[in-house]
PDB file of all heavy atoms in Angstrom:
ATOM      1  N   ARG W 140      -3.682 -21.332  62.620  1.00  0.00           N
ATOM      2  CA  ARG W 140      -2.258 -21.481  62.938  1.00  0.00           C
ATOM      3  C   ARG W 140      -2.046 -22.669  63.888  1.00  0.00           C
ATOM      4  O   ARG W 140      -1.138 -23.484  63.692  1.00  0.00           O
ATOM      5  CB  ARG W 140      -1.713 -20.201  63.562  1.00  0.00           C
ATOM      6  CG  ARG W 140      -1.334 -19.126  62.548  1.00  0.00           C
ATOM      7  CD  ARG W 140      -0.598 -17.997  63.230  1.00  0.00           C
ATOM      8  NE  ARG W 140      -0.023 -17.069  62.275  1.00  0.00           N
ATOM      9  CZ  ARG W 140       1.182 -17.225  61.695  1.00  0.00           C
ATOM     10  NH1 ARG W 140       1.886 -18.325  61.949  1.00  0.00           N
ATOM     11  NH2 ARG W 140       1.656 -16.325  60.857  1.00  0.00           N
ATOM     12  N   ARG W 141      -2.912 -22.767  64.900  1.00  0.00           N
ATOM     13  CA  ARG W 141      -2.786 -23.855  65.874  1.00  0.00           C
ATOM     14  C   ARG W 141      -2.935 -25.207  65.180  1.00  0.00           C
ATOM     15  O   ARG W 141      -2.173 -26.152  65.422  1.00  0.00           O
ATOM     16  CB  ARG W 141      -3.843 -23.697  66.964  1.00  0.00           C
ATOM     17  CG  ARG W 141      -3.792 -24.716  68.075  1.00  0.00           C
ATOM     18  CD  ARG W 141      -4.838 -24.440  69.138  1.00  0.00           C
ATOM     19  NE  ARG W 141      -6.206 -24.551  68.610  1.00  0.00           N
ATOM     20  CZ  ARG W 141      -7.305 -24.274  69.325  1.00  0.00           C
ATOM     21  NH1 ARG W 141      -7.187 -23.837  70.572  1.00  0.00           N
ATOM     22  NH2 ARG W 141      -8.508 -24.421  68.810  1.00  0.00           N
ATOM     23  N   ALA W 142      -3.900 -25.296  64.245  1.00  0.00           N
ATOM     24  CA  ALA W 142      -4.117 -26.571  63.522  1.00  0.00           C
ATOM     25  C   ALA W 142      -2.866 -26.950  62.725  1.00  0.00           C
ATOM     26  O   ALA W 142      -2.422 -28.102  62.754  1.00  0.00           O
ATOM     27  CB  ALA W 142      -5.320 -26.428  62.606  1.00  0.00           C
ATOM     28  N   LEU W 143      -2.280 -25.975  62.040  1.00  0.00           N
ATOM     29  CA  LEU W 143      -1.055 -26.262  61.261  1.00  0.00           C
ATOM     30  C   LEU W 143       0.069 -26.700  62.194  1.00  0.00           C
ATOM     31  O   LEU W 143       0.777 -27.672  61.921  1.00  0.00           O
ATOM     32  CB  LEU W 143      -0.634 -25.034  60.461  1.00  0.00           C
ATOM     33  CG  LEU W 143      -1.552 -24.650  59.284  1.00  0.00           C
ATOM     34  CD1 LEU W 143      -1.080 -23.344  58.647  1.00  0.00           C
ATOM     35  CD2 LEU W 143      -1.633 -25.763  58.239  1.00  0.00           C
ATOM     36  N   ASP W 144       0.192 -26.013  63.337  1.00  0.00           N
ATOM     37  CA  ASP W 144       1.229 -26.398  64.327  1.00  0.00           C
ATOM     38  C   ASP W 144       1.017 -27.845  64.771  1.00  0.00           C
ATOM     39  O   ASP W 144       1.965 -28.563  65.070  1.00  0.00           O
ATOM     40  CB  ASP W 144       1.176 -25.495  65.569  1.00  0.00           C
ATOM     41  CG  ASP W 144       1.576 -24.054  65.277  1.00  0.00           C
ATOM     42  OD1 ASP W 144       2.028 -23.799  64.134  1.00  0.00           O
ATOM     43  OD2 ASP W 144       1.407 -23.190  66.156  1.00  0.00           O
ATOM     44  N   GLU W 145      -0.248 -28.291  64.808  1.00  0.00           N
ATOM     45  CA  GLU W 145      -0.565 -29.640  65.306  1.00  0.00           C
ATOM     46  C   GLU W 145      -0.576 -30.671  64.175  1.00  0.00           C
ATOM     47  O   GLU W 145      -1.009 -31.799  64.352  1.00  0.00           O
ATOM     48  CB  GLU W 145      -1.926 -29.609  66.033  1.00  0.00           C
ATOM     49  CG  GLU W 145      -1.905 -28.778  67.312  1.00  0.00           C
ATOM     50  CD  GLU W 145      -3.296 -28.570  67.903  1.00  0.00           C
ATOM     51  OE1 GLU W 145      -4.301 -28.923  67.245  1.00  0.00           O
ATOM     52  OE2 GLU W 145      -3.369 -28.039  69.027  1.00  0.00           O
ATOM     53  N   GLY W 146      -0.151 -30.221  62.991  1.00  0.00           N
ATOM     54  CA  GLY W 146      -0.050 -31.170  61.872  1.00  0.00           C
ATOM     55  C   GLY W 146      -1.358 -31.473  61.171  1.00  0.00           C
ATOM     56  O   GLY W 146      -1.460 -32.416  60.393  1.00  0.00           O
ATOM     57  N   ILE W 147      -2.388 -30.649  61.431  1.00  0.00           N
ATOM     58  CA  ILE W 147      -3.662 -30.836  60.710  1.00  0.00           C
ATOM     59  C   ILE W 147      -3.589 -30.030  59.406  1.00  0.00           C
ATOM     60  O   ILE W 147      -3.381 -28.821  59.443  1.00  0.00           O
ATOM     61  CB  ILE W 147      -4.852 -30.341  61.566  1.00  0.00           C
ATOM     62  CG1 ILE W 147      -4.923 -31.122  62.887  1.00  0.00           C
ATOM     63  CG2 ILE W 147      -6.169 -30.460  60.797  1.00  0.00           C
ATOM     64  CD1 ILE W 147      -5.869 -30.508  63.910  1.00  0.00           C
ATOM     65  N   PRO W 148      -3.721 -30.661  58.241  1.00  0.00           N
ATOM     66  CA  PRO W 148      -3.535 -29.954  56.956  1.00  0.00           C
ATOM     67  C   PRO W 148      -4.737 -29.094  56.591  1.00  0.00           C
ATOM     68  O   PRO W 148      -5.347 -29.248  55.541  1.00  0.00           O
ATOM     69  CB  PRO W 148      -3.330 -31.093  55.958  1.00  0.00           C
ATOM     70  CG  PRO W 148      -4.097 -32.222  56.517  1.00  0.00           C
ATOM     71  CD  PRO W 148      -4.023 -32.092  58.019  1.00  0.00           C
ATOM     72  N   ILE W 149      -5.087 -28.162  57.481  1.00  0.00           N
ATOM     73  CA  ILE W 149      -6.342 -27.400  57.358  1.00  0.00           C
ATOM     74  C   ILE W 149      -6.354 -26.465  56.144  1.00  0.00           C
ATOM     75  O   ILE W 149      -7.409 -26.008  55.731  1.00  0.00           O
ATOM     76  CB  ILE W 149      -6.620 -26.615  58.663  1.00  0.00           C
ATOM     77  CG1 ILE W 149      -8.058 -26.076  58.691  1.00  0.00           C
ATOM     78  CG2 ILE W 149      -5.600 -25.477  58.848  1.00  0.00           C
ATOM     79  CD1 ILE W 149      -9.128 -27.127  58.673  1.00  0.00           C
ATOM     80  N   THR W 150      -5.176 -26.222  55.550  1.00  0.00           N
ATOM     81  CA  THR W 150      -5.151 -25.325  54.375  1.00  0.00           C
ATOM     82  C   THR W 150      -5.018 -26.101  53.066  1.00  0.00           C
ATOM     83  O   THR W 150      -4.796 -25.502  52.008  1.00  0.00           O
ATOM     84  CB  THR W 150      -3.959 -24.339  54.470  1.00  0.00           C
ATOM     85  OG1 THR W 150      -2.751 -25.128  54.506  1.00  0.00           O
ATOM     86  CG2 THR W 150      -4.040 -23.457  55.700  1.00  0.00           C
ATOM     87  N   ASP W 151      -5.203 -27.448  53.161  1.00  0.00           N
ATOM     88  CA  ASP W 151      -4.975 -28.278  51.973  1.00  0.00           C
ATOM     89  C   ASP W 151      -6.296 -28.679  51.334  1.00  0.00           C
ATOM     90  O   ASP W 151      -7.089 -29.398  51.953  1.00  0.00           O
ATOM     91  CB  ASP W 151      -4.197 -29.543  52.387  1.00  0.00           C
ATOM     92  CG  ASP W 151      -3.945 -30.471  51.205  1.00  0.00           C
ATOM     93  OD1 ASP W 151      -4.516 -30.218  50.120  1.00  0.00           O
ATOM     94  OD2 ASP W 151      -3.179 -31.430  51.362  1.00  0.00           O
ATOM     95  N   PRO W 152      -6.576 -28.270  50.079  1.00  0.00           N
ATOM     96  CA  PRO W 152      -7.848 -28.606  49.423  1.00  0.00           C
ATOM     97  C   PRO W 152      -8.110 -30.116  49.306  1.00  0.00           C
ATOM     98  O   PRO W 152      -9.256 -30.556  49.300  1.00  0.00           O
ATOM     99  CB  PRO W 152      -7.702 -27.970  48.031  1.00  0.00           C
ATOM    100  CG  PRO W 152      -6.682 -26.895  48.203  1.00  0.00           C
ATOM    101  CD  PRO W 152      -5.739 -27.399  49.256  1.00  0.00           C
ATOM    102  N   HIS W 153      -7.022 -30.924  49.242  1.00  0.00           N
ATOM    103  CA  HIS W 153      -7.219 -32.392  49.206  1.00  0.00           C
ATOM    104  C   HIS W 153      -7.890 -32.832  50.511  1.00  0.00           C
ATOM    105  O   HIS W 153      -8.812 -33.635  50.521  1.00  0.00           O
ATOM    106  CB  HIS W 153      -5.883 -33.137  49.046  1.00  0.00           C
ATOM    107  CG  HIS W 153      -5.146 -32.806  47.790  1.00  0.00           C
ATOM    108  ND1 HIS W 153      -4.264 -31.729  47.715  1.00  0.00           N
ATOM    109  CD2 HIS W 153      -5.166 -33.375  46.543  1.00  0.00           C
ATOM    110  CE1 HIS W 153      -3.771 -31.670  46.479  1.00  0.00           C
ATOM    111  NE2 HIS W 153      -4.296 -32.639  45.750  1.00  0.00           N
ATOM    112  N   PHE W 154      -7.413 -32.251  51.611  1.00  0.00           N
ATOM    113  CA  PHE W 154      -7.974 -32.600  52.936  1.00  0.00           C
ATOM    114  C   PHE W 154      -9.445 -32.184  53.008  1.00  0.00           C
ATOM    115  O   PHE W 154     -10.301 -32.943  53.463  1.00  0.00           O
ATOM    116  CB  PHE W 154      -7.142 -31.887  54.012  1.00  0.00           C
ATOM    117  CG  PHE W 154      -7.625 -32.055  55.422  1.00  0.00           C
ATOM    118  CD1 PHE W 154      -7.502 -33.277  56.080  1.00  0.00           C
ATOM    119  CD2 PHE W 154      -8.211 -30.994  56.103  1.00  0.00           C
ATOM    120  CE1 PHE W 154      -7.941 -33.432  57.391  1.00  0.00           C
ATOM    121  CE2 PHE W 154      -8.662 -31.132  57.415  1.00  0.00           C
ATOM    122  CZ  PHE W 154      -8.522 -32.348  58.053  1.00  0.00           C
ATOM    123  N   TRP W 155      -9.745 -30.995  52.485  1.00  0.00           N
ATOM    124  CA  TRP W 155     -11.114 -30.471  52.595  1.00  0.00           C
ATOM    125  C   TRP W 155     -12.115 -31.414  51.905  1.00  0.00           C
ATOM    126  O   TRP W 155     -13.253 -31.539  52.302  1.00  0.00           O
ATOM    127  CB  TRP W 155     -11.249 -29.110  51.924  1.00  0.00           C
ATOM    128  CG  TRP W 155     -10.330 -28.059  52.415  1.00  0.00           C
ATOM    129  CD1 TRP W 155      -9.646 -28.039  53.601  1.00  0.00           C
ATOM    130  CD2 TRP W 155      -9.980 -26.855  51.730  1.00  0.00           C
ATOM    131  NE1 TRP W 155      -8.894 -26.892  53.691  1.00  0.00           N
ATOM    132  CE2 TRP W 155      -9.076 -26.148  52.557  1.00  0.00           C
ATOM    133  CE3 TRP W 155     -10.328 -26.310  50.507  1.00  0.00           C
ATOM    134  CZ2 TRP W 155      -8.543 -24.920  52.187  1.00  0.00           C
ATOM    135  CZ3 TRP W 155      -9.798 -25.071  50.128  1.00  0.00           C
ATOM    136  CH2 TRP W 155      -8.910 -24.402  50.971  1.00  0.00           C
ATOM    137  N   GLN W 156     -11.647 -32.063  50.859  1.00  0.00           N
ATOM    138  CA  GLN W 156     -12.558 -32.909  50.070  1.00  0.00           C
ATOM    139  C   GLN W 156     -12.853 -34.233  50.755  1.00  0.00           C
ATOM    140  O   GLN W 156     -13.852 -34.878  50.471  1.00  0.00           O
ATOM    141  CB  GLN W 156     -11.915 -33.244  48.710  1.00  0.00           C
ATOM    142  CG  GLN W 156     -11.838 -32.126  47.735  1.00  0.00           C
ATOM    143  CD  GLN W 156     -11.222 -32.639  46.449  1.00  0.00           C
ATOM    144  OE1 GLN W 156     -11.900 -33.322  45.683  1.00  0.00           O
ATOM    145  NE2 GLN W 156      -9.960 -32.342  46.257  1.00  0.00           N
ATOM    146  N   SER W 157     -11.952 -34.620  51.668  1.00  0.00           N
ATOM    147  CA  SER W 157     -12.070 -35.966  52.219  1.00  0.00           C
ATOM    148  C   SER W 157     -13.119 -36.032  53.323  1.00  0.00           C
ATOM    149  O   SER W 157     -12.946 -35.449  54.403  1.00  0.00           O
ATOM    150  CB  SER W 157     -10.708 -36.418  52.782  1.00  0.00           C
ATOM    151  OG  SER W 157     -10.916 -37.554  53.598  1.00  0.00           O
ATOM    152  N   GLU W 158     -14.206 -36.762  53.060  1.00  0.00           N
ATOM    153  CA  GLU W 158     -15.278 -36.899  54.057  1.00  0.00           C
ATOM    154  C   GLU W 158     -14.837 -37.779  55.218  1.00  0.00           C
ATOM    155  O   GLU W 158     -15.407 -37.722  56.304  1.00  0.00           O
ATOM    156  CB  GLU W 158     -16.537 -37.472  53.375  1.00  0.00           C
ATOM    157  CG  GLU W 158     -16.969 -36.604  52.201  1.00  0.00           C
ATOM    158  CD  GLU W 158     -18.478 -36.643  51.940  1.00  0.00           C
ATOM    159  OE1 GLU W 158     -19.178 -37.391  52.635  1.00  0.00           O
ATOM    160  OE2 GLU W 158     -18.930 -35.898  51.042  1.00  0.00           O
ATOM    161  N   ASP W 159     -13.785 -38.572  54.989  1.00  0.00           N
ATOM    162  CA  ASP W 159     -13.259 -39.413  56.084  1.00  0.00           C
ATOM    163  C   ASP W 159     -12.329 -38.612  56.995  1.00  0.00           C
ATOM    164  O   ASP W 159     -12.322 -38.781  58.204  1.00  0.00           O
ATOM    165  CB  ASP W 159     -12.479 -40.619  55.512  1.00  0.00           C
ATOM    166  CG  ASP W 159     -13.389 -41.480  54.645  1.00  0.00           C
ATOM    167  OD1 ASP W 159     -14.612 -41.477  54.936  1.00  0.00           O
ATOM    168  OD2 ASP W 159     -12.907 -42.086  53.676  1.00  0.00           O
ATOM    169  N   GLU W 160     -11.518 -37.762  56.380  1.00  0.00           N
ATOM    170  CA  GLU W 160     -10.508 -37.034  57.194  1.00  0.00           C
ATOM    171  C   GLU W 160     -11.042 -35.709  57.719  1.00  0.00           C
ATOM    172  O   GLU W 160     -10.896 -35.363  58.876  1.00  0.00           O
ATOM    173  CB  GLU W 160      -9.265 -36.768  56.331  1.00  0.00           C
ATOM    174  CG  GLU W 160      -8.461 -37.999  55.940  1.00  0.00           C
ATOM    175  CD  GLU W 160      -7.316 -37.593  55.006  1.00  0.00           C
ATOM    176  OE1 GLU W 160      -6.319 -37.039  55.507  1.00  0.00           O
ATOM    177  OE2 GLU W 160      -7.454 -37.807  53.792  1.00  0.00           O
ATOM    178  N   CYS W 161     -11.639 -34.933  56.804  1.00  0.00           N
ATOM    179  CA  CYS W 161     -12.110 -33.587  57.202  1.00  0.00           C
ATOM    180  C   CYS W 161     -13.566 -33.680  57.644  1.00  0.00           C
ATOM    181  O   CYS W 161     -14.486 -33.396  56.897  1.00  0.00           O
ATOM    182  CB  CYS W 161     -11.947 -32.618  56.030  1.00  0.00           C
ATOM    183  SG  CYS W 161     -12.310 -30.918  56.466  1.00  0.00           S
ATOM    184  N   THR W 162     -13.734 -34.101  58.899  1.00  0.00           N
ATOM    185  CA  THR W 162     -15.086 -34.319  59.435  1.00  0.00           C
ATOM    186  C   THR W 162     -15.484 -33.164  60.346  1.00  0.00           C
ATOM    187  O   THR W 162     -14.640 -32.328  60.714  1.00  0.00           O
ATOM    188  CB  THR W 162     -15.105 -35.607  60.285  1.00  0.00           C
ATOM    189  OG1 THR W 162     -14.211 -35.382  61.400  1.00  0.00           O
ATOM    190  CG2 THR W 162     -14.645 -36.809  59.463  1.00  0.00           C
ATOM    191  N   LEU W 163     -16.746 -33.161  60.753  1.00  0.00           N
ATOM    192  CA  LEU W 163     -17.228 -32.098  61.650  1.00  0.00           C
ATOM    193  C   LEU W 163     -16.492 -32.191  62.987  1.00  0.00           C
ATOM    194  O   LEU W 163     -16.112 -31.164  63.567  1.00  0.00           O
ATOM    195  CB  LEU W 163     -18.739 -32.228  61.855  1.00  0.00           C
ATOM    196  CG  LEU W 163     -19.401 -31.091  62.664  1.00  0.00           C
ATOM    197  CD1 LEU W 163     -19.141 -29.728  62.004  1.00  0.00           C
ATOM    198  CD2 LEU W 163     -20.893 -31.343  62.817  1.00  0.00           C
ATOM    199  N   ASP W 164     -16.216 -33.413  63.423  1.00  0.00           N
ATOM    200  CA  ASP W 164     -15.483 -33.555  64.688  1.00  0.00           C
ATOM    201  C   ASP W 164     -14.059 -32.992  64.579  1.00  0.00           C
ATOM    202  O   ASP W 164     -13.564 -32.357  65.511  1.00  0.00           O
ATOM    203  CB  ASP W 164     -15.421 -35.039  65.106  1.00  0.00           C
ATOM    204  CG  ASP W 164     -16.760 -35.495  65.702  1.00  0.00           C
ATOM    205  OD1 ASP W 164     -17.555 -34.589  66.084  1.00  0.00           O
ATOM    206  OD2 ASP W 164     -17.013 -36.704  65.764  1.00  0.00           O
ATOM    207  N   VAL W 165     -13.432 -33.215  63.415  1.00  0.00           N
ATOM    208  CA  VAL W 165     -12.081 -32.652  63.221  1.00  0.00           C
ATOM    209  C   VAL W 165     -12.154 -31.130  63.256  1.00  0.00           C
ATOM    210  O   VAL W 165     -11.334 -30.457  63.892  1.00  0.00           O
ATOM    211  CB  VAL W 165     -11.475 -33.148  61.884  1.00  0.00           C
ATOM    212  CG1 VAL W 165     -10.262 -32.317  61.485  1.00  0.00           C
ATOM    213  CG2 VAL W 165     -11.106 -34.623  61.982  1.00  0.00           C
ATOM    214  N   LEU W 166     -13.205 -30.586  62.621  1.00  0.00           N
ATOM    215  CA  LEU W 166     -13.338 -29.115  62.605  1.00  0.00           C
ATOM    216  C   LEU W 166     -13.651 -28.596  64.013  1.00  0.00           C
ATOM    217  O   LEU W 166     -13.155 -27.540  64.416  1.00  0.00           O
ATOM    218  CB  LEU W 166     -14.428 -28.701  61.620  1.00  0.00           C
ATOM    219  CG  LEU W 166     -14.156 -27.415  60.845  1.00  0.00           C
ATOM    220  CD1 LEU W 166     -12.856 -27.499  60.059  1.00  0.00           C
ATOM    221  CD2 LEU W 166     -15.293 -27.067  59.909  1.00  0.00           C
ATOM    222  N   LYS W 167     -14.429 -29.357  64.784  1.00  0.00           N
ATOM    223  CA  LYS W 167     -14.690 -28.956  66.173  1.00  0.00           C
ATOM    224  C   LYS W 167     -13.388 -28.895  66.958  1.00  0.00           C
ATOM    225  O   LYS W 167     -13.178 -28.006  67.783  1.00  0.00           O
ATOM    226  CB  LYS W 167     -15.665 -29.943  66.849  1.00  0.00           C
ATOM    227  CG  LYS W 167     -17.116 -29.717  66.475  1.00  0.00           C
ATOM    228  CD  LYS W 167     -18.047 -30.720  67.134  1.00  0.00           C
ATOM    229  CE  LYS W 167     -19.499 -30.461  66.701  1.00  0.00           C
ATOM    230  NZ  LYS W 167     -20.400 -31.569  67.119  1.00  0.00           N
ATOM    231  N   ASN W 168     -12.485 -29.824  66.642  1.00  0.00           N
ATOM    232  CA  ASN W 168     -11.188 -29.820  67.321  1.00  0.00           C
ATOM    233  C   ASN W 168     -10.339 -28.630  66.867  1.00  0.00           C
ATOM    234  O   ASN W 168      -9.713 -27.941  67.677  1.00  0.00           O
ATOM    235  CB  ASN W 168     -10.441 -31.137  67.039  1.00  0.00           C
ATOM    236  CG  ASN W 168      -9.056 -31.140  67.682  1.00  0.00           C
ATOM    237  OD1 ASN W 168      -8.915 -30.830  68.866  1.00  0.00           O
ATOM    238  ND2 ASN W 168      -8.041 -31.403  66.870  1.00  0.00           N
ATOM    239  N   VAL W 169     -10.378 -28.362  65.546  1.00  0.00           N
ATOM    240  CA  VAL W 169      -9.614 -27.200  65.032  1.00  0.00           C
ATOM    241  C   VAL W 169     -10.079 -25.920  65.721  1.00  0.00           C
ATOM    242  O   VAL W 169      -9.297 -25.064  66.100  1.00  0.00           O
ATOM    243  CB  VAL W 169      -9.799 -27.077  63.497  1.00  0.00           C
ATOM    244  CG1 VAL W 169      -9.302 -25.718  62.980  1.00  0.00           C
ATOM    245  CG2 VAL W 169      -9.072 -28.212  62.773  1.00  0.00           C
ATOM    246  N   PHE W 170     -11.399 -25.835  65.934  1.00  0.00           N
ATOM    247  CA  PHE W 170     -11.971 -24.626  66.542  1.00  0.00           C
ATOM    248  C   PHE W 170     -12.349 -24.855  68.001  1.00  0.00           C
ATOM    249  O   PHE W 170     -13.281 -24.230  68.507  1.00  0.00           O
ATOM    250  CB  PHE W 170     -13.169 -24.151  65.719  1.00  0.00           C
ATOM    251  CG  PHE W 170     -12.792 -23.616  64.365  1.00  0.00           C
ATOM    252  CD1 PHE W 170     -13.084 -24.337  63.208  1.00  0.00           C
ATOM    253  CD2 PHE W 170     -12.092 -22.418  64.233  1.00  0.00           C
ATOM    254  CE1 PHE W 170     -12.707 -23.854  61.953  1.00  0.00           C
ATOM    255  CE2 PHE W 170     -11.717 -21.938  62.980  1.00  0.00           C
ATOM    256  CZ  PHE W 170     -12.024 -22.656  61.849  1.00  0.00           C
ATOM    257  N   ARG W 171     -11.620 -25.760  68.670  1.00  0.00           N
ATOM    258  CA  ARG W 171     -11.926 -25.988  70.095  1.00  0.00           C
ATOM    259  C   ARG W 171     -11.570 -24.738  70.893  1.00  0.00           C
ATOM    260  O   ARG W 171     -10.696 -23.966  70.508  1.00  0.00           O
ATOM    261  CB  ARG W 171     -11.146 -27.184  70.627  1.00  0.00           C
ATOM    262  CG  ARG W 171      -9.641 -26.960  70.730  1.00  0.00           C
ATOM    263  CD  ARG W 171      -8.912 -28.235  71.149  1.00  0.00           C
ATOM    264  NE  ARG W 171      -7.468 -28.000  71.301  1.00  0.00           N
ATOM    265  CZ  ARG W 171      -6.601 -28.003  70.274  1.00  0.00           C
ATOM    266  NH1 ARG W 171      -7.033 -28.186  69.022  1.00  0.00           N
ATOM    267  NH2 ARG W 171      -5.300 -27.797  70.466  1.00  0.00           N
ATOM    268  N   CYS W 172     -12.279 -24.547  72.000  1.00  0.00           N
ATOM    269  CA  CYS W 172     -11.931 -23.363  72.783  1.00  0.00           C
ATOM    270  C   CYS W 172     -12.199 -23.597  74.254  1.00  0.00           C
ATOM    271  O   CYS W 172     -12.833 -24.578  74.644  1.00  0.00           O
ATOM    272  CB  CYS W 172     -12.692 -22.154  72.265  1.00  0.00           C
ATOM    273  SG  CYS W 172     -14.324 -21.956  72.951  1.00  0.00           S
TER     274      CYS W 172
END
Side-chain angles (χ1 to χ4, degrees):
R140 278 189 170 274
R141 183 177 63 184
L143 290 175
D144 293 353
E145 294 171 351
I147 300 168
I149 193 63
T150 60
D151 179 351
H153 299 87
F154 176 71
W155 303 341
Q156 288 182 76
S157 165
E158 304 209 357
D159 300 331
E160 292 176 76
C161 187
T162 63
L163 186 58
D164 283 342
V165 165
L166 216 58
K167 281 179 181 169
N168 177 49
V169 167
F170 291 108
R171 69 185 182 277
C172 86

